[in-house]
Amino acid sequence: MTAPHATDAAPVLPSLEGADAPFGLYLHVPFCATRCGYCDFNTYTAGELGASTSPQAWADAIDGELALARGVVGDAAVSTVFVGGGTPSLLGGDGLAALLDTARRHFRFADDAEVTTESNPESTSPEFFARLREAGFTRISLGMQSAAAHVLKVLDRTHTPGRAVAAAKEARAAGFEHVNLDLIYGTPGESDDDLRASLDAVLDAGVDHVSAYALIVEDGTALARRIRRGELPDTDDDVLAHRYEMLDGALQDAGFDWYEVSNWSRSEAGRCRHNELYWEGANWWGAGPGAHGHVAGTRVWNVKHPARYAEAVAGGALPLAGHEVLTAEDRHVEDVMLRVRMRSGIPVSVLRPDEIARAEDEVAVGNLGRLGDAYVLTDAGRLLADGVVRRLLD
């Protein structure tokens, strides 16, 4: 794949007006109350930002960027919106409602648009969820991570073990049909019993979607430094595989089906359409500091620091740090990488003859199966998905 490169010149991006493919908006909220030890996202605490920016300056810059984006992509109908971070719920219900109003001022929303926000359970309440429902949000994603207090402590999560479940129930009571809980498994010190308790809590919450991710220790994070100093053990691949099997078994027994390696839903309607847009290579605009987007084969990403981001927008320019024009080979590689991870599998028509031969090798060893005209990961293959992708593309 072509290496990303920074550029002083803005890329030439085509209008998406009239395009049939779904179009999404990702809105990045860079603010966090505290920094989690495992996180390497583009987020900032108040102490890190100081007086260099403010939520209002960020909101004004988002408004400006969306106006510029509308001028680029035209009157494309927005099918999905995802507000991520950071901690979007720190804006409060009124702040998130205002953000959605800003997006609606600049873009036309499809009648059935999915509108999701991430939320930290500790910064939510029944009134918060009621305000979001009134504003037009349709989906809530809550960061639970674990029900074990000592696991949350290792991850530097600030919420209490039971708060995520309570928040999920409050969201459902406010009228949200689609509520997701995020789990992280394989944290140093986590036991099988800890994970079972987390799964019991998830099922008690009555949500219709679960995302579960193996802990990845990112370079430069506080968690990586603690492991390097020997304060905590590193993650173990065998343990991660075992925990994934535990998760999948419990969720499937409870009526959830996987539709992507790390995502389970009770129904097709409960799937995260915004994430499916990413996995299917559709178009989206990423607004906010450090946000990434994809428009008709060109990837773009914004400057990271909120102050510099706001300065660029105030100057009337898209706040881009760089862009990458995907070649046909880049797009093929991404197509294989992402589609293999999905329950629908990768169509035979997407693969080249040599890749089909390698896919048949994966069928022979039990990592892939044939479902109609597609290759689909088996249960065993899901544990080795990254290796399957590498071998297909080798």
Side-chain angles (χ1 to χ4, degrees), residues 117-167:
T117 184
E118 293 180 335
S119 297
N120 184 312
E122 288 294 337
S123 50
T124 63
S125 66
E127 295 75 22
F128 170 84
F129 292 119
R131 182 69 181 96
L132 294 189
R133 192 76 181 121
E134 176 188 35
F137 284 85
T138 66
R139 188 172 180 275
I140 299 294
S141 182
L142 292 159
M144 175 178 171
Q145 319 316 349
S146 176
H150 69 97
V151 173
L152 293 174
K153 184 176 181 180
V154 170
L155 295 173
D156 293 320
R157 297 290 295 186
T158 58
H159 63 268
T160 55
R163 179 56 203 155
V165 170

Side-chain angles (χ1 to χ4, degrees), residues 20-246:
D20 292 332
F23 172 62
L25 291 178
Y26 172 75
L27 307 175
H28 187 69
V29 180
F31 308 115
C32 280
T34 60
R35 180 173 295 281
C36 298
Y38 64 93
C39 179
D40 71 339
F41 293 166
N42 188 46
T43 63
Y44 304 84
T45 65
E48 290 169 337
L49 286 173
S52 64
T53 191
S54 67
Q56 186 57 55
W58 163 84
D60 291 343
I62 286 279
D63 190 356
E65 184 186 357
L66 290 178
L68 294 168
R70 173 65 169 76
V72 172
V73 302
D75 189 32
V78 173
S79 56
T80 65
V81 179
F82 197 100
V83 184
T87 310
S89 48
L90 287 179
L91 299 178
D94 288 342
L96 284 168
L99 178 62
L100 187 55
D101 285 344
T102 296
R104 289 186 186 277
R105 280 204 318 274
H106 296 294
F107 286 92
R108 176 172 57 91
F109 280 34
D111 291 340
D112 64 344
E114 173 193 87
V115 184
T116 303
T117 184
E118 293 180 335
S119 297
N120 184 312
E122 288 294 337
S123 50
T124 63
S125 66
E127 295 75 22
F128 170 84
F129 292 119
R131 182 69 181 96
L132 294 189
R133 192 76 181 121
E134 176 188 35
F137 284 85
T138 66
R139 188 172 180 275
I140 299 294
S141 182
L142 292 159
M144 175 178 171
Q145 319 316 349
S146 176
H150 69 97
V151 173
L152 293 174
K153 184 176 181 180
V154 170
L155 295 173
D156 293 320
R157 297 290 295 186
T158 58
H159 63 268
T160 55
R163 179 56 203 155
V165 170
K169 291 180 177 180
E170 291 167 1
R172 292 177 59 237
F176 282 97
E177 181 181 357
H178 303 306
V179 181
N180 170 67
L181 283 172
D182 276 347
L183 290 176
I184 290 177
Y185 60 93
T187 300
E190 180 191 60
S191 68
D192 285 358
D193 285 343
D194 291 331
L195 183 57
R196 289 189 188 97
S198 296
L199 288 165
D200 288 344
V202 165
L203 298 178
D204 178 59
V207 297
D208 71 331
H209 191 284
V210 177
S211 298
Y213 304 100
L215 178 67
I216 297 175
V217 181
E218 301 286 0
D219 290 341
T221 61
L223 180 60
R225 291 190 290 272
R226 293 184 68 189
I227 290 174
R228 189 169 57 248
R229 291 194 298 263
E231 297 174 16
L232 295 169
D234 204 346
T235 55
D236 182 291
D237 288 344
D238 290 336
V239 170
L240 294 176
H242 171 61
R243 298 275 161 75
Y244 182 89
E245 291 177 323
M246 289 178 59

Side-chain angles (χ1 to χ4, degrees), residues 258-259 339-348 351 359 362-363 366-382 388 392:
W258 74 280
Y259 69 101
R339 288 190 181 223
V340 164
R341 295 179 58 87
M342 298 177 69
R343 180 67 174 262
S344 54
I346 183 161
V348 176
L351 298 174
E362 296 297 319
V363 171
N367 291 330
L368 290 176
R370 282 291 293 267
L371 181 63
D373 292 328
Y375 291 102
V376 179
L377 287 169
T378 63
D379 289 348
R382 275 188 283 158
V388 171
L392 287 178

